[in-house]
Amino acid sequence: MDEHENAPQTDADEVRHGLIGMVRADDAHVGQSLSIVTTAKGGADVHQSAAVALVSGGDTTMTMSAAVAMPTLGDVRMDKSGAQWVIAAGDVNIEKGACAAAVAPTVRVDHGAIGVALGWHVDVGENSRVLFGPLAAVAFGLAAGAGMGLVMAASAGFAAKKALARLPLLPWRS
Amino acid sequence: MIVVRHSVIVDEPVRQAGFLWTGFVAHRISDRGFTPDEWIQVDNACGVMGEGDVAFEAVSAGRTKVTLSLKLDLQPSEPDTGREVEAAYHRAVAHLDRFHDYADARGG
């Protein structure tokens, strides 16, 4: 377990209070941390954290957390959480949360909102809102634009930082 | 397939809530010429609103959560789906509100 970890990369299964560039774990347990990319071969349990990309090979549970993109091979359960893109091979359950686009065989939402739900089975629970049809397409476009912009901005910043580090000393960097 | 769910909690034990639901449905469709028992068996008491399901879950000894699930044979991409879902949700809310009032009046 890494406590108060601030590193560009970690292979620890459990991270708390961290500011991490990339988390690579077998089963990831991330709490009160901020990461750019979190990958897990198995399941991922994210609590009070944020990640740009959260990739897992198993089930993913998010509690009071946020993510931009969440591709997963298992089920996704979001409790009081938000995400922009959720793409799951299993079912997606959102309880008191929001998601711009959810793509899964079954999408279920309670007390939450989904911009676009693409699934064979969409379950709209109590006090929930799911956009369908042309309105959903507009929301999908806005979410896609904002998401891509965020990812590209982050990538450009990272690449610029790396490139500047390799350059010889320049007048304005001295 | 799109399912719209809504639930209400009534101050009745689960068994009594089931009986009250049957009575409520019979009351609602009494002017439609259906045989309530047959109708309930076929449509599981949701025929007023379309294909669906009703579930009773005890939340305590004296309270029951009644959940109505309406199945809509629509695709997310269809232009009218949003309106249909909204309308179905409002029908479910209205139906369960009526049931809540019915249970309050008839229960004991």
Side-chain angles (χ1 to χ4, degrees):
Chain A
M1 173 175 148
D2 281 1
E3 188 89 23
H4 302 287
E5 171 84 5
N6 293 313
Q9 187 172 316
T10 181
D11 292 337
D13 273 1
E14 190 164 348
V15 177
R16 287 186 189 278
H17 310 290
L19 185 62
I20 314 285
M22 183 168 187
V23 179
R24 290 191 308 190
D26 291 331
D27 285 297
H29 298 274
V30 181
Q32 297 173 333
S33 299
L34 180 65
S35 67
I36 295 174
V37 180
T38 297
T39 61
K41 288 178 186 169
D45 185 6
V46 181
H47 187 83
Q48 294 177 331
S49 299
V52 175
L54 176 57
V55 185
S56 90
D59 296 344
T60 301
T61 304
M62 278 180 83
T63 309
M64 292 185 277
S65 299
V68 176
M70 283 177 64
T72 179
L73 293 176
D75 296 342
V76 172
R77 181 168 185 81
M78 293 169 59
D79 189 8
K80 302 182 193 76
S81 298
Q84 193 160 38
W85 299 89
V86 178
I87 301 165
D91 298 341
V92 173
N93 275 286
I94 298 175
E95 174 93 23
K96 296 190 183 99
C99 167
V103 183
T106 298
V107 180
R108 180 176 173 144
V109 57
D110 274 297
H111 304 283
I114 299 180
V116 180
L118 297 176
W120 291 296
H121 187 105
V122 181
D123 195 326
V124 186
E126 293 175 61
N127 299 320
S128 300
R129 188 76 195 245
V130 179
L131 302 181
F132 297 103
L135 203 56
V138 172
F140 189 78
L142 290 173
M148 288 303 290
L150 192 66
V151 170
M152 288 177 75
S155 304
F158 184 74
K161 191 177 171 186
K162 285 276 186 189
L164 283 173
R166 290 180 182 181
L167 284 175
L169 281 178
L170 296 170
W172 62 82
R173 297 188 67 217
S174 57
Chain B
M1 172 72 72
I2 293 170
V3 177
V4 177
R5 277 183 298 109
H6 187 64
S7 64
V8 69
I9 293 177
V10 293
D11 295 327
E12 299 290 342
V14 66
R15 185 179 169 84
Q16 181 64 12
F19 283 125
L20 284 170
W21 179 266
T22 307
F24 170 68
V25 170
H27 177 72
R28 284 217 70 193
I29 63 169
S30 58
D31 60 342
R32 294 189 176 212
F34 290 114
T35 306
D37 286 345
E38 186 180 296
W39 182 73
I40 289 164
Q41 195 175 4
V42 173
D43 286 0
N44 202 9
C46 294
V48 167
M49 337 231 332
E51 189 185 356
D53 194 13
V54 64
F56 300 90
E57 179 191 355
V59 292
S60 68
R63 304 179 81 206
T64 303
K65 183 179 183 182
V66 182
T67 302
L68 190 61
S69 303
L70 303 177
K71 294 174 187 165
L72 307 172
D73 192 15
L74 297 166
Q75 296 302 316
S77 58
E78 290 176 15
D80 290 335
T81 298
R83 280 195 296 274
E84 293 278 345
V85 170
E86 282 287 308
Y89 180 74
H90 290 305
R91 284 205 306 273
V93 170
H95 195 63
L96 285 178
D97 282 350
R98 283 194 203 100
F99 173 63
H100 188 270
D101 294 343
Y102 180 88
D104 273 354
R106 302 289 173 93

